[in-house]
Amino acid sequence: MRILFMGTPDFAQICLQSLVEAGQQVVAVVTQPDKPKGRGYHMIPPPVKVFAQERGIPVYQPQTLRDGAFADTLSALDPDVIIVVAYGKILPSYILDYPRLGCINAHGSLLPKYRGAAPIQRAVMEGASETGITIMYMDTGIDTGDMLLWDKTPITEEDTFETVHDRLAAMAGKLLVQVLPLLETGQAVPVRQDDTQATYASKIEKADCVLDFSRDANAILWQIRGLFPYPLAMTRTPDGKLLKVLSAKPAQGTSSAAAGTVTDLTDEGFYVACGDGQKIWITGVLPEGKSKMRAADFVRGRRIQAGDRLAWTR
């Protein structure tokens, strides 16, 4: 089979690596254009491009796919199947309809739950007990195609977006390798999604990162976990400076203090009151203008005191 792979971030790179290491014939890779990053605005290639170039796989980075812009290249590559993993653009019908074995997508949820751009982060942020990978045919809808293979994994209180992301990426790679011979031999059995059970995982926006301490402690902890290692949950200290929270744990005891109040300072961080009378124990922070640090060092630097109130607006 001639495989055209379309993907961009780390998640996609892990899937591409699985295909290559399984001996599949990836004839080319399509990925997003390089983007400027950092203070120097250096152009940084996507992880998929870096891996493909290391393995000698041709790379294409079209600015647009619309109006048949990629049609001639697609015809020249003549793939039997197109595999799409977190590519970042909607595919026009001339691409979806081209390969004889279809366009296949690896999606980071147990469809039809968490369709959309941020399925892994939303699942963790909402405290879902499990999630998984679904391999499906692509159609013109957003993650609405018929399902081919799937697998699930629990989400525990030790998990963050990072740990679940890495686990699902490895699972996705294995399932993609498994589905290819089923497609080639005609043994794949499509299963329609139950649209009545569908939920949508929208892109993470700035508002999703703001900590509202009037919520219950458990919800706040899942929000922090779901936003690590990026873009990170955030609040402001009494002087108005930005404080991003890297990690937190459940705290023993209750508090009658106003939500967001720093109730205790410890050798391992500080406690903050939440809206349900419980507290969370913040253990890692990223203060404005500083590097990531243990919350204990933030306390020792006298950047926060008992009685301070953390809040986004005042």
Side-chain angles (χ1 to χ4, degrees), residues 4 6 30-32 60-71 73-74 87-95:
L4 175 62
M6 304 181 74
V30 178
T31 189
Q32 295 275 24
Y60 297 89
Q61 295 176 278
Q63 291 289 341
T64 182
L65 301 173
R66 296 177 183 173
D67 303 320
F70 194 66
T73 305
L74 182 62
Y87 173 54
K89 290 180 187 280
I90 295 176
L91 302 190
S93 58
Y94 76 89
I95 295 178

mmCIF file with all atom_site columns, all heavy atoms in Angstrom, residues 4 6 30-32 60-71 73-74 87-95:
data_model
loop_
_atom_site.group_PDB
_atom_site.id
_atom_site.type_symbol
_atom_site.label_atom_id
_atom_site.label_alt_id
_atom_site.label_comp_id
_atom_site.label_asym_id
_atom_site.label_entity_id
_atom_site.label_seq_id
_atom_site.pdbx_PDB_ins_code
_atom_site.Cartn_x
_atom_site.Cartn_y
_atom_site.Cartn_z
_atom_site.occupancy
_atom_site.B_iso_or_equiv
_atom_site.pdbx_formal_charge
_atom_site.auth_seq_id
_atom_site.auth_comp_id
_atom_site.auth_asym_id
_atom_site.auth_atom_id
_atom_site.pdbx_PDB_model_num
ATOM 1   N N   . LEU A 1 4  ? -0.100  8.023  2.126  1.00 0.00 ? 4  LEU A N   1
ATOM 2   C CA  . LEU A 1 4  ? 0.179   9.445  2.300  1.00 0.00 ? 4  LEU A CA  1
ATOM 3   C C   . LEU A 1 4  ? -0.214  9.789  3.721  1.00 0.00 ? 4  LEU A C   1
ATOM 4   O O   . LEU A 1 4  ? -1.362  9.573  4.126  1.00 0.00 ? 4  LEU A O   1
ATOM 5   C CB  . LEU A 1 4  ? -0.610  10.297 1.309  1.00 0.00 ? 4  LEU A CB  1
ATOM 6   C CG  . LEU A 1 4  ? -0.482  11.820 1.482  1.00 0.00 ? 4  LEU A CG  1
ATOM 7   C CD1 . LEU A 1 4  ? 0.963   12.271 1.292  1.00 0.00 ? 4  LEU A CD1 1
ATOM 8   C CD2 . LEU A 1 4  ? -1.412  12.558 0.526  1.00 0.00 ? 4  LEU A CD2 1
ATOM 9   N N   . MET A 1 6  ? -0.727  12.597 6.707  1.00 0.00 ? 6  MET A N   1
ATOM 10  C CA  . MET A 1 6  ? -0.976  14.022 6.932  1.00 0.00 ? 6  MET A CA  1
ATOM 11  C C   . MET A 1 6  ? -1.086  14.259 8.440  1.00 0.00 ? 6  MET A C   1
ATOM 12  O O   . MET A 1 6  ? -1.973  13.724 9.095  1.00 0.00 ? 6  MET A O   1
ATOM 13  C CB  . MET A 1 6  ? -2.253  14.470 6.227  1.00 0.00 ? 6  MET A CB  1
ATOM 14  C CG  . MET A 1 6  ? -2.257  14.169 4.734  1.00 0.00 ? 6  MET A CG  1
ATOM 15  S SD  . MET A 1 6  ? -3.756  14.716 3.872  1.00 0.00 ? 6  MET A SD  1
ATOM 16  C CE  . MET A 1 6  ? -3.500  16.497 3.823  1.00 0.00 ? 6  MET A CE  1
ATOM 17  N N   . VAL A 1 30 ? 2.432   15.191 4.425  1.00 0.00 ? 30 VAL A N   1
ATOM 18  C CA  . VAL A 1 30 ? 1.911   16.552 4.307  1.00 0.00 ? 30 VAL A CA  1
ATOM 19  C C   . VAL A 1 30 ? 1.749   17.101 5.713  1.00 0.00 ? 30 VAL A C   1
ATOM 20  O O   . VAL A 1 30 ? 1.128   16.462 6.568  1.00 0.00 ? 30 VAL A O   1
ATOM 21  C CB  . VAL A 1 30 ? 0.557   16.580 3.567  1.00 0.00 ? 30 VAL A CB  1
ATOM 22  C CG1 . VAL A 1 30 ? 0.018   18.011 3.506  1.00 0.00 ? 30 VAL A CG1 1
ATOM 23  C CG2 . VAL A 1 30 ? 0.696   16.002 2.176  1.00 0.00 ? 30 VAL A CG2 1
ATOM 24  N N   . THR A 1 31 ? 2.326   18.259 5.965  1.00 0.00 ? 31 THR A N   1
ATOM 25  C CA  . THR A 1 31 ? 2.273   18.846 7.299  1.00 0.00 ? 31 THR A CA  1
ATOM 26  C C   . THR A 1 31 ? 2.111   20.352 7.187  1.00 0.00 ? 31 THR A C   1
ATOM 27  O O   . THR A 1 31 ? 2.199   20.928 6.092  1.00 0.00 ? 31 THR A O   1
ATOM 28  C CB  . THR A 1 31 ? 3.536   18.473 8.097  1.00 0.00 ? 31 THR A CB  1
ATOM 29  O OG1 . THR A 1 31 ? 3.373   18.866 9.460  1.00 0.00 ? 31 THR A OG1 1
ATOM 30  C CG2 . THR A 1 31 ? 4.785   19.138 7.530  1.00 0.00 ? 31 THR A CG2 1
ATOM 31  N N   . GLN A 1 32 ? 1.858   21.007 8.297  1.00 0.00 ? 32 GLN A N   1
ATOM 32  C CA  . GLN A 1 32 ? 1.679   22.458 8.306  1.00 0.00 ? 32 GLN A CA  1
ATOM 33  C C   . GLN A 1 32 ? 3.001   23.175 8.038  1.00 0.00 ? 32 GLN A C   1
ATOM 34  O O   . GLN A 1 32 ? 4.077   22.640 8.319  1.00 0.00 ? 32 GLN A O   1
ATOM 35  C CB  . GLN A 1 32 ? 1.130   22.913 9.661  1.00 0.00 ? 32 GLN A CB  1
ATOM 36  C CG  . GLN A 1 32 ? -0.256  22.400 9.966  1.00 0.00 ? 32 GLN A CG  1
ATOM 37  C CD  . GLN A 1 32 ? -1.348  23.269 9.364  1.00 0.00 ? 32 GLN A CD  1
ATOM 38  O OE1 . GLN A 1 32 ? -1.128  23.986 8.386  1.00 0.00 ? 32 GLN A OE1 1
ATOM 39  N NE2 . GLN A 1 32 ? -2.525  23.210 9.935  1.00 0.00 ? 32 GLN A NE2 1
ATOM 40  N N   . TYR A 1 60 ? 5.691   17.746 2.146  1.00 0.00 ? 60 TYR A N   1
ATOM 41  C CA  . TYR A 1 60 ? 4.971   18.839 1.491  1.00 0.00 ? 60 TYR A CA  1
ATOM 42  C C   . TYR A 1 60 ? 4.306   19.689 2.565  1.00 0.00 ? 60 TYR A C   1
ATOM 43  O O   . TYR A 1 60 ? 3.729   19.164 3.520  1.00 0.00 ? 60 TYR A O   1
ATOM 44  C CB  . TYR A 1 60 ? 3.921   18.298 0.524  1.00 0.00 ? 60 TYR A CB  1
ATOM 45  C CG  . TYR A 1 60 ? 4.515   17.491 -0.609 1.00 0.00 ? 60 TYR A CG  1
ATOM 46  C CD1 . TYR A 1 60 ? 4.719   16.112 -0.465 1.00 0.00 ? 60 TYR A CD1 1
ATOM 47  C CD2 . TYR A 1 60 ? 4.894   18.100 -1.798 1.00 0.00 ? 60 TYR A CD2 1
ATOM 48  C CE1 . TYR A 1 60 ? 5.271   15.368 -1.496 1.00 0.00 ? 60 TYR A CE1 1
ATOM 49  C CE2 . TYR A 1 60 ? 5.452   17.359 -2.838 1.00 0.00 ? 60 TYR A CE2 1
ATOM 50  C CZ  . TYR A 1 60 ? 5.637   15.999 -2.675 1.00 0.00 ? 60 TYR A CZ  1
ATOM 51  O OH  . TYR A 1 60 ? 6.200   15.263 -3.691 1.00 0.00 ? 60 TYR A OH  1
ATOM 52  N N   . GLN A 1 61 ? 4.385   21.009 2.389  1.00 0.00 ? 61 GLN A N   1
ATOM 53  C CA  . GLN A 1 61 ? 3.807   21.936 3.362  1.00 0.00 ? 61 GLN A CA  1
ATOM 54  C C   . GLN A 1 61 ? 2.969   23.005 2.655  1.00 0.00 ? 61 GLN A C   1
ATOM 55  O O   . GLN A 1 61 ? 3.292   24.188 2.669  1.00 0.00 ? 61 GLN A O   1
ATOM 56  C CB  . GLN A 1 61 ? 4.919   22.603 4.184  1.00 0.00 ? 61 GLN A CB  1
ATOM 57  C CG  . GLN A 1 61 ? 5.711   21.633 5.061  1.00 0.00 ? 61 GLN A CG  1
ATOM 58  C CD  . GLN A 1 61 ? 6.859   22.291 5.791  1.00 0.00 ? 61 GLN A CD  1
ATOM 59  O OE1 . GLN A 1 61 ? 7.934   22.481 5.221  1.00 0.00 ? 61 GLN A OE1 1
ATOM 60  N NE2 . GLN A 1 61 ? 6.634   22.644 7.049  1.00 0.00 ? 61 GLN A NE2 1
ATOM 61  N N   . PRO A 1 62 ? 1.871   22.594 2.035  1.00 0.00 ? 62 PRO A N   1
ATOM 62  C CA  . PRO A 1 62 ? 1.049   23.558 1.299  1.00 0.00 ? 62 PRO A CA  1
ATOM 63  C C   . PRO A 1 62 ? 0.421   24.597 2.219  1.00 0.00 ? 62 PRO A C   1
ATOM 64  O O   . PRO A 1 62 ? -0.032  24.273 3.321  1.00 0.00 ? 62 PRO A O   1
ATOM 65  C CB  . PRO A 1 62 ? -0.008  22.682 0.639  1.00 0.00 ? 62 PRO A CB  1
ATOM 66  C CG  . PRO A 1 62 ? -0.075  21.454 1.492  1.00 0.00 ? 62 PRO A CG  1
ATOM 67  C CD  . PRO A 1 62 ? 1.312   21.231 2.008  1.00 0.00 ? 62 PRO A CD  1
ATOM 68  N N   . GLN A 1 63 ? 0.385   25.828 1.752  1.00 0.00 ? 63 GLN A N   1
ATOM 69  C CA  . GLN A 1 63 ? -0.275  26.880 2.520  1.00 0.00 ? 63 GLN A CA  1
ATOM 70  C C   . GLN A 1 63 ? -1.783  26.682 2.530  1.00 0.00 ? 63 GLN A C   1
ATOM 71  O O   . GLN A 1 63 ? -2.460  27.052 3.471  1.00 0.00 ? 63 GLN A O   1
ATOM 72  C CB  . GLN A 1 63 ? 0.065   28.252 1.924  1.00 0.00 ? 63 GLN A CB  1
ATOM 73  C CG  . GLN A 1 63 ? 1.522   28.671 2.101  1.00 0.00 ? 63 GLN A CG  1
ATOM 74  C CD  . GLN A 1 63 ? 1.866   29.011 3.543  1.00 0.00 ? 63 GLN A CD  1
ATOM 75  O OE1 . GLN A 1 63 ? 0.975   29.275 4.359  1.00 0.00 ? 63 GLN A OE1 1
ATOM 76  N NE2 . GLN A 1 63 ? 3.150   29.013 3.862  1.00 0.00 ? 63 GLN A NE2 1
ATOM 77  N N   . THR A 1 64 ? -2.303  26.108 1.439  1.00 0.00 ? 64 THR A N   1
ATOM 78  C CA  . THR A 1 64 ? -3.735  25.855 1.355  1.00 0.00 ? 64 THR A CA  1
ATOM 79  C C   . THR A 1 64 ? -3.984  24.574 0.562  1.00 0.00 ? 64 THR A C   1
ATOM 80  O O   . THR A 1 64 ? -3.165  24.171 -0.271 1.00 0.00 ? 64 THR A O   1
ATOM 81  C CB  . THR A 1 64 ? -4.472  27.033 0.682  1.00 0.00 ? 64 THR A CB  1
ATOM 82  O OG1 . THR A 1 64 ? -5.880  26.755 0.670  1.00 0.00 ? 64 THR A OG1 1
ATOM 83  C CG2 . THR A 1 64 ? -3.981  27.254 -0.741 1.00 0.00 ? 64 THR A CG2 1
ATOM 84  N N   . LEU A 1 65 ? -5.111  23.949 0.837  1.00 0.00 ? 65 LEU A N   1
ATOM 85  C CA  . LEU A 1 65 ? -5.548  22.778 0.081  1.00 0.00 ? 65 LEU A CA  1
ATOM 86  C C   . LEU A 1 65 ? -6.785  23.090 -0.760 1.00 0.00 ? 65 LEU A C   1
ATOM 87  O O   . LEU A 1 65 ? -7.261  22.248 -1.526 1.00 0.00 ? 65 LEU A O   1
ATOM 88  C CB  . LEU A 1 65 ? -5.886  21.629 1.039  1.00 0.00 ? 65 LEU A CB  1
ATOM 89  C CG  . LEU A 1 65 ? -4.758  21.137 1.960  1.00 0.00 ? 65 LEU A CG  1
ATOM 90  C CD1 . LEU A 1 65 ? -5.313  20.129 2.963  1.00 0.00 ? 65 LEU A CD1 1
ATOM 91  C CD2 . LEU A 1 65 ? -3.626  20.520 1.159  1.00 0.00 ? 65 LEU A CD2 1
ATOM 92  N N   . ARG A 1 66 ? -7.277  24.295 -0.626 1.00 0.00 ? 66 ARG A N   1
ATOM 93  C CA  . ARG A 1 66 ? -8.532  24.667 -1.267 1.00 0.00 ? 66 ARG A CA  1
ATOM 94  C C   . ARG A 1 66 ? -8.385  24.770 -2.783 1.00 0.00 ? 66 ARG A C   1
ATOM 95  O O   . ARG A 1 66 ? -7.292  24.966 -3.312 1.00 0.00 ? 66 ARG A O   1
ATOM 96  C CB  . ARG A 1 66 ? -9.035  26.003 -0.705 1.00 0.00 ? 66 ARG A CB  1
ATOM 97  C CG  . ARG A 1 66 ? -9.390  25.952 0.769  1.00 0.00 ? 66 ARG A CG  1
ATOM 98  C CD  . ARG A 1 66 ? -9.792  27.324 1.257  1.00 0.00 ? 66 ARG A CD  1
ATOM 99  N NE  . ARG A 1 66 ? -10.078 27.322 2.689  1.00 0.00 ? 66 ARG A NE  1
ATOM 100 C CZ  . ARG A 1 66 ? -10.327 28.418 3.399  1.00 0.00 ? 66 ARG A CZ  1
ATOM 101 N NH1 . ARG A 1 66 ? -10.343 29.605 2.802  1.00 0.00 ? 66 ARG A NH1 1
ATOM 102 N NH2 . ARG A 1 66 ? -10.572 28.322 4.697  1.00 0.00 ? 66 ARG A NH2 1
ATOM 103 N N   . ASP A 1 67 ? -9.539  24.703 -3.447 1.00 0.00 ? 67 ASP A N   1
ATOM 104 C CA  . ASP A 1 67 ? -9.624  24.928 -4.890 1.00 0.00 ? 67 ASP A CA  1
ATOM 105 C C   . ASP A 1 67 ? -8.652  24.066 -5.682 1.00 0.00 ? 67 ASP A C   1
ATOM 106 O O   . ASP A 1 67 ? -8.082  24.509 -6.687 1.00 0.00 ? 67 ASP A O   1
ATOM 107 C CB  . ASP A 1 67 ? -9.386  26.415 -5.205 1.00 0.00 ? 67 ASP A CB  1
ATOM 108 C CG  . ASP A 1 67 ? -10.370 27.323 -4.482 1.00 0.00 ? 67 ASP A CG  1
ATOM 109 O OD1 . ASP A 1 67 ? -11.558 26.952 -4.400 1.00 0.00 ? 67 ASP A OD1 1
ATOM 110 O OD2 . ASP A 1 67 ? -9.953  28.381 -3.996 1.00 0.00 ? 67 ASP A OD2 1
ATOM 111 N N   . GLY A 1 68 ? -8.446  22.838 -5.216 1.00 0.00 ? 68 GLY A N   1
ATOM 112 C CA  . GLY A 1 68 ? -7.608  21.902 -5.951 1.00 0.00 ? 68 GLY A CA  1
ATOM 113 C C   . GLY A 1 68 ? -6.128  22.222 -5.912 1.00 0.00 ? 68 GLY A C   1
ATOM 114 O O   . GLY A 1 68 ? -5.356  21.710 -6.749 1.00 0.00 ? 68 GLY A O   1
ATOM 115 N N   . ALA A 1 69 ? -5.698  23.021 -4.940 1.00 0.00 ? 69 ALA A N   1
ATOM 116 C CA  . ALA A 1 69 ? -4.300  23.455 -4.889 1.00 0.00 ? 69 ALA A CA  1
ATOM 117 C C   . ALA A 1 69 ? -3.316  22.293 -4.768 1.00 0.00 ? 69 ALA A C   1
ATOM 118 O O   . ALA A 1 69 ? -2.168  22.398 -5.199 1.00 0.00 ? 69 ALA A O   1
ATOM 119 C CB  . ALA A 1 69 ? -4.099  24.433 -3.734 1.00 0.00 ? 69 ALA A CB  1
ATOM 120 N N   . PHE A 1 70 ? -3.762  21.187 -4.179 1.00 0.00 ? 70 PHE A N   1
ATOM 121 C CA  . PHE A 1 70 ? -2.874  20.040 -3.959 1.00 0.00 ? 70 PHE A CA  1
ATOM 122 C C   . PHE A 1 70 ? -3.192  18.886 -4.913 1.00 0.00 ? 70 PHE A C   1
ATOM 123 O O   . PHE A 1 70 ? -2.614  17.811 -4.817 1.00 0.00 ? 70 PHE A O   1
ATOM 124 C CB  . PHE A 1 70 ? -2.999  19.570 -2.506 1.00 0.00 ? 70 PHE A CB  1
ATOM 125 C CG  . PHE A 1 70 ? -1.930  18.624 -2.050 1.00 0.00 ? 70 PHE A CG  1
ATOM 126 C CD1 . PHE A 1 70 ? -0.601  19.026 -1.937 1.00 0.00 ? 70 PHE A CD1 1
ATOM 127 C CD2 . PHE A 1 70 ? -2.254  17.308 -1.728 1.00 0.00 ? 70 PHE A CD2 1
ATOM 128 C CE1 . PHE A 1 70 ? 0.380   18.148 -1.518 1.00 0.00 ? 70 PHE A CE1 1
ATOM 129 C CE2 . PHE A 1 70 ? -1.272  16.417 -1.300 1.00 0.00 ? 70 PHE A CE2 1
ATOM 130 C CZ  . PHE A 1 70 ? 0.052   16.838 -1.201 1.00 0.00 ? 70 PHE A CZ  1
ATOM 131 N N   . ALA A 1 71 ? -4.092  19.105 -5.845 1.00 0.00 ? 71 ALA A N   1
ATOM 132 C CA  . ALA A 1 71 ? -4.598  18.023 -6.689 1.00 0.00 ? 71 ALA A CA  1
ATOM 133 C C   . ALA A 1 71 ? -3.519  17.383 -7.544 1.00 0.00 ? 71 ALA A C   1
ATOM 134 O O   . ALA A 1 71 ? -3.446  16.151 -7.665 1.00 0.00 ? 71 ALA A O   1
ATOM 135 C CB  . ALA A 1 71 ? -5.741  18.526 -7.562 1.00 0.00 ? 71 ALA A CB  1
ATOM 136 N N   . THR A 1 73 ? -0.234  17.313 -7.107 1.00 0.00 ? 73 THR A N   1
ATOM 137 C CA  . THR A 1 73 ? 0.707   16.565 -6.266 1.00 0.00 ? 73 THR A CA  1
ATOM 138 C C   . THR A 1 73 ? 0.081   15.277 -5.782 1.00 0.00 ? 73 THR A C   1
ATOM 139 O O   . THR A 1 73 ? 0.716   14.214 -5.761 1.00 0.00 ? 73 THR A O   1
ATOM 140 C CB  . THR A 1 73 ? 1.141   17.423 -5.059 1.00 0.00 ? 73 THR A CB  1
ATOM 141 O OG1 . THR A 1 73 ? 1.680   18.661 -5.522 1.00 0.00 ? 73 THR A OG1 1
ATOM 142 C CG2 . THR A 1 73 ? 2.192   16.696 -4.223 1.00 0.00 ? 73 THR A CG2 1
ATOM 143 N N   . LEU A 1 74 ? -1.199  15.337 -5.399 1.00 0.00 ? 74 LEU A N   1
ATOM 144 C CA  . LEU A 1 74 ? -1.909  14.148 -4.928 1.00 0.00 ? 74 LEU A CA  1
ATOM 145 C C   . LEU A 1 74 ? -1.954  13.089 -6.024 1.00 0.00 ? 74 LEU A C   1
ATOM 146 O O   . LEU A 1 74 ? -1.719  11.897 -5.782 1.00 0.00 ? 74 LEU A O   1
ATOM 147 C CB  . LEU A 1 74 ? -3.317  14.539 -4.495 1.00 0.00 ? 74 LEU A CB  1
ATOM 148 C CG  . LEU A 1 74 ? -4.202  13.427 -3.924 1.00 0.00 ? 74 LEU A CG  1
ATOM 149 C CD1 . LEU A 1 74 ? -3.585  12.851 -2.655 1.00 0.00 ? 74 LEU A CD1 1
ATOM 150 C CD2 . LEU A 1 74 ? -5.604  13.963 -3.646 1.00 0.00 ? 74 LEU A CD2 1
ATOM 151 N N   . TYR A 1 87 ? -3.722  16.883 11.703 1.00 0.00 ? 87 TYR A N   1
ATOM 152 C CA  . TYR A 1 87 ? -3.106  17.687 10.634 1.00 0.00 ? 87 TYR A CA  1
ATOM 153 C C   . TYR A 1 87 ? -3.333  19.176 10.863 1.00 0.00 ? 87 TYR A C   1
ATOM 154 O O   . TYR A 1 87 ? -2.419  19.975 10.739 1.00 0.00 ? 87 TYR A O   1
ATOM 155 C CB  . TYR A 1 87 ? -3.653  17.247 9.279  1.00 0.00 ? 87 TYR A CB  1
ATOM 156 C CG  . TYR A 1 87 ? -3.209  18.129 8.135  1.00 0.00 ? 87 TYR A CG  1
ATOM 157 C CD1 . TYR A 1 87 ? -1.855  18.395 7.911  1.00 0.00 ? 87 TYR A CD1 1
ATOM 158 C CD2 . TYR A 1 87 ? -4.145  18.721 7.286  1.00 0.00 ? 87 TYR A CD2 1
ATOM 159 C CE1 . TYR A 1 87 ? -1.454  19.212 6.866  1.00 0.00 ? 87 TYR A CE1 1
ATOM 160 C CE2 . TYR A 1 87 ? -3.752  19.534 6.238  1.00 0.00 ? 87 TYR A CE2 1
ATOM 161 C CZ  . TYR A 1 87 ? -2.407  19.777 6.036  1.00 0.00 ? 87 TYR A CZ  1
ATOM 162 O OH  . TYR A 1 87 ? -2.007  20.593 4.998  1.00 0.00 ? 87 TYR A OH  1
ATOM 163 N N   . GLY A 1 88 ? -4.553  19.562 11.193 1.00 0.00 ? 88 GLY A N   1
ATOM 164 C CA  . GLY A 1 88 ? -4.805  20.968 11.503 1.00 0.00 ? 88 GLY A CA  1
ATOM 165 C C   . GLY A 1 88 ? -5.543  21.743 10.443 1.00 0.00 ? 88 GLY A C   1
ATOM 166 O O   . GLY A 1 88 ? -5.763  22.943 10.598 1.00 0.00 ? 88 GLY A O   1
ATOM 167 N N   . LYS A 1 89 ? -5.933  21.085 9.338  1.00 0.00 ? 89 LYS A N   1
ATOM 168 C CA  . LYS A 1 89 ? -6.733  21.731 8.312  1.00 0.00 ? 89 LYS A CA  1
ATOM 169 C C   . LYS A 1 89 ? -7.876  20.797 7.916  1.00 0.00 ? 89 LYS A C   1
ATOM 170 O O   . LYS A 1 89 ? -7.736  19.572 7.964  1.00 0.00 ? 89 LYS A O   1
ATOM 171 C CB  . LYS A 1 89 ? -5.904  22.036 7.056  1.00 0.00 ? 89 LYS A CB  1
ATOM 172 C CG  . LYS A 1 89 ? -4.852  23.135 7.203  1.00 0.00 ? 89 LYS A CG  1
ATOM 173 C CD  . LYS A 1 89 ? -4.122  23.304 5.875  1.00 0.00 ? 89 LYS A CD  1
ATOM 174 C CE  . LYS A 1 89 ? -2.935  24.259 5.990  1.00 0.00 ? 89 LYS A CE  1
ATOM 175 N NZ  . LYS A 1 89 ? -3.351  25.653 5.947  1.00 0.00 ? 89 LYS A NZ  1
ATOM 176 N N   . ILE A 1 90 ? -8.992  21.388 7.505  1.00 0.00 ? 90 ILE A N   1
ATOM 177 C CA  . ILE A 1 90 ? -10.103 20.602 6.987  1.00 0.00 ? 90 ILE A CA  1
ATOM 178 C C   . ILE A 1 90 ? -9.755  20.141 5.582  1.00 0.00 ? 90 ILE A C   1
ATOM 179 O O   . ILE A 1 90 ? -9.291  20.925 4.745  1.00 0.00 ? 90 ILE A O   1
ATOM 180 C CB  . ILE A 1 90 ? -11.399 21.429 6.994  1.00 0.00 ? 90 ILE A CB  1
ATOM 181 C CG1 . ILE A 1 90 ? -11.800 21.757 8.441  1.00 0.00 ? 90 ILE A CG1 1
ATOM 182 C CG2 . ILE A 1 90 ? -12.520 20.681 6.282  1.00 0.00 ? 90 ILE A CG2 1
ATOM 183 C CD1 . ILE A 1 90 ? -13.007 22.658 8.549  1.00 0.00 ? 90 ILE A CD1 1
ATOM 184 N N   . LEU A 1 91 ? -9.978  18.861 5.301  1.00 0.00 ? 91 LEU A N   1
ATOM 185 C CA  . LEU A 1 91 ? -9.646  18.315 3.994  1.00 0.00 ? 91 LEU A CA  1
ATOM 186 C C   . LEU A 1 91 ? -10.803 18.510 3.023  1.00 0.00 ? 91 LEU A C   1
ATOM 187 O O   . LEU A 1 91 ? -11.932 18.129 3.317  1.00 0.00 ? 91 LEU A O   1
ATOM 188 C CB  . LEU A 1 91 ? -9.314  16.826 4.089  1.00 0.00 ? 91 LEU A CB  1
ATOM 189 C CG  . LEU A 1 91 ? -8.156  16.430 5.015  1.00 0.00 ? 91 LEU A CG  1
ATOM 190 C CD1 . LEU A 1 91 ? -7.821  14.957 4.791  1.00 0.00 ? 91 LEU A CD1 1
ATOM 191 C CD2 . LEU A 1 91 ? -6.935  17.288 4.779  1.00 0.00 ? 91 LEU A CD2 1
ATOM 192 N N   . PRO A 1 92 ? -10.521 19.073 1.834  1.00 0.00 ? 92 PRO A N   1
ATOM 193 C CA  . PRO A 1 92 ? -11.568 19.210 0.823  1.00 0.00 ? 92 PRO A CA  1
ATOM 194 C C   . PRO A 1 92 ? -11.979 17.846 0.266  1.00 0.00 ? 92 PRO A C   1
ATOM 195 O O   . PRO A 1 92 ? -11.243 16.857 0.390  1.00 0.00 ? 92 PRO A O   1
ATOM 196 C CB  . PRO A 1 92 ? -10.913 20.067 -0.268 1.00 0.00 ? 92 PRO A CB  1
ATOM 197 C CG  . PRO A 1 92 ? -9.594  20.491 0.254  1.00 0.00 ? 92 PRO A CG  1
ATOM 198 C CD  . PRO A 1 92 ? -9.245  19.653 1.419  1.00 0.00 ? 92 PRO A CD  1
ATOM 199 N N   . SER A 1 93 ? -13.118 17.807 -0.385 1.00 0.00 ? 93 SER A N   1
ATOM 200 C CA  . SER A 1 93 ? -13.658 16.541 -0.869 1.00 0.00 ? 93 SER A CA  1
ATOM 201 C C   . SER A 1 93 ? -12.765 15.879 -1.905 1.00 0.00 ? 93 SER A C   1
ATOM 202 O O   . SER A 1 93 ? -12.723 14.641 -1.982 1.00 0.00 ? 93 SER A O   1
ATOM 203 C CB  . SER A 1 93 ? -15.066 16.752 -1.438 1.00 0.00 ? 93 SER A CB  1
ATOM 204 O OG  . SER A 1 93 ? -15.040 17.701 -2.487 1.00 0.00 ? 93 SER A OG  1
ATOM 205 N N   . TYR A 1 94 ? -12.018 16.651 -2.714 1.00 0.00 ? 94 TYR A N   1
ATOM 206 C CA  . TYR A 1 94 ? -11.187 16.013 -3.728 1.00 0.00 ? 94 TYR A CA  1
ATOM 207 C C   . TYR A 1 94 ? -10.066 15.187 -3.099 1.00 0.00 ? 94 TYR A C   1
ATOM 208 O O   . TYR A 1 94 ? -9.572  14.232 -3.716 1.00 0.00 ? 94 TYR A O   1
ATOM 209 C CB  . TYR A 1 94 ? -10.626 17.048 -4.710 1.00 0.00 ? 94 TYR A CB  1
ATOM 210 C CG  . TYR A 1 94 ? -9.469  17.893 -4.216 1.00 0.00 ? 94 TYR A CG  1
ATOM 211 C CD1 . TYR A 1 94 ? -8.144  17.470 -4.374 1.00 0.00 ? 94 TYR A CD1 1
ATOM 212 C CD2 . TYR A 1 94 ? -9.684  19.124 -3.611 1.00 0.00 ? 94 TYR A CD2 1
ATOM 213 C CE1 . TYR A 1 94 ? -7.077  18.243 -3.937 1.00 0.00 ? 94 TYR A CE1 1
ATOM 214 C CE2 . TYR A 1 94 ? -8.630  19.902 -3.168 1.00 0.00 ? 94 TYR A CE2 1
ATOM 215 C CZ  . TYR A 1 94 ? -7.326  19.464 -3.337 1.00 0.00 ? 94 TYR A CZ  1
ATOM 216 O OH  . TYR A 1 94 ? -6.271  20.244 -2.901 1.00 0.00 ? 94 TYR A OH  1
ATOM 217 N N   . ILE A 1 95 ? -9.663  15.531 -1.863 1.00 0.00 ? 95 ILE A N   1
ATOM 218 C CA  . ILE A 1 95 ? -8.675  14.720 -1.150 1.00 0.00 ? 95 ILE A CA  1
ATOM 219 C C   . ILE A 1 95 ? -9.356  13.537 -0.463 1.00 0.00 ? 95 ILE A C   1
ATOM 220 O O   . ILE A 1 95 ? -8.889  12.394 -0.538 1.00 0.00 ? 95 ILE A O   1
ATOM 221 C CB  . ILE A 1 95 ? -7.901  15.577 -0.129 1.00 0.00 ? 95 ILE A CB  1
ATOM 222 C CG1 . ILE A 1 95 ? -7.063  16.642 -0.854 1.00 0.00 ? 95 ILE A CG1 1
ATOM 223 C CG2 . ILE A 1 95 ? -6.999  14.703 0.750  1.00 0.00 ? 95 ILE A CG2 1
ATOM 224 C CD1 . ILE A 1 95 ? -6.290  17.565 0.067  1.00 0.00 ? 95 ILE A CD1 1
#
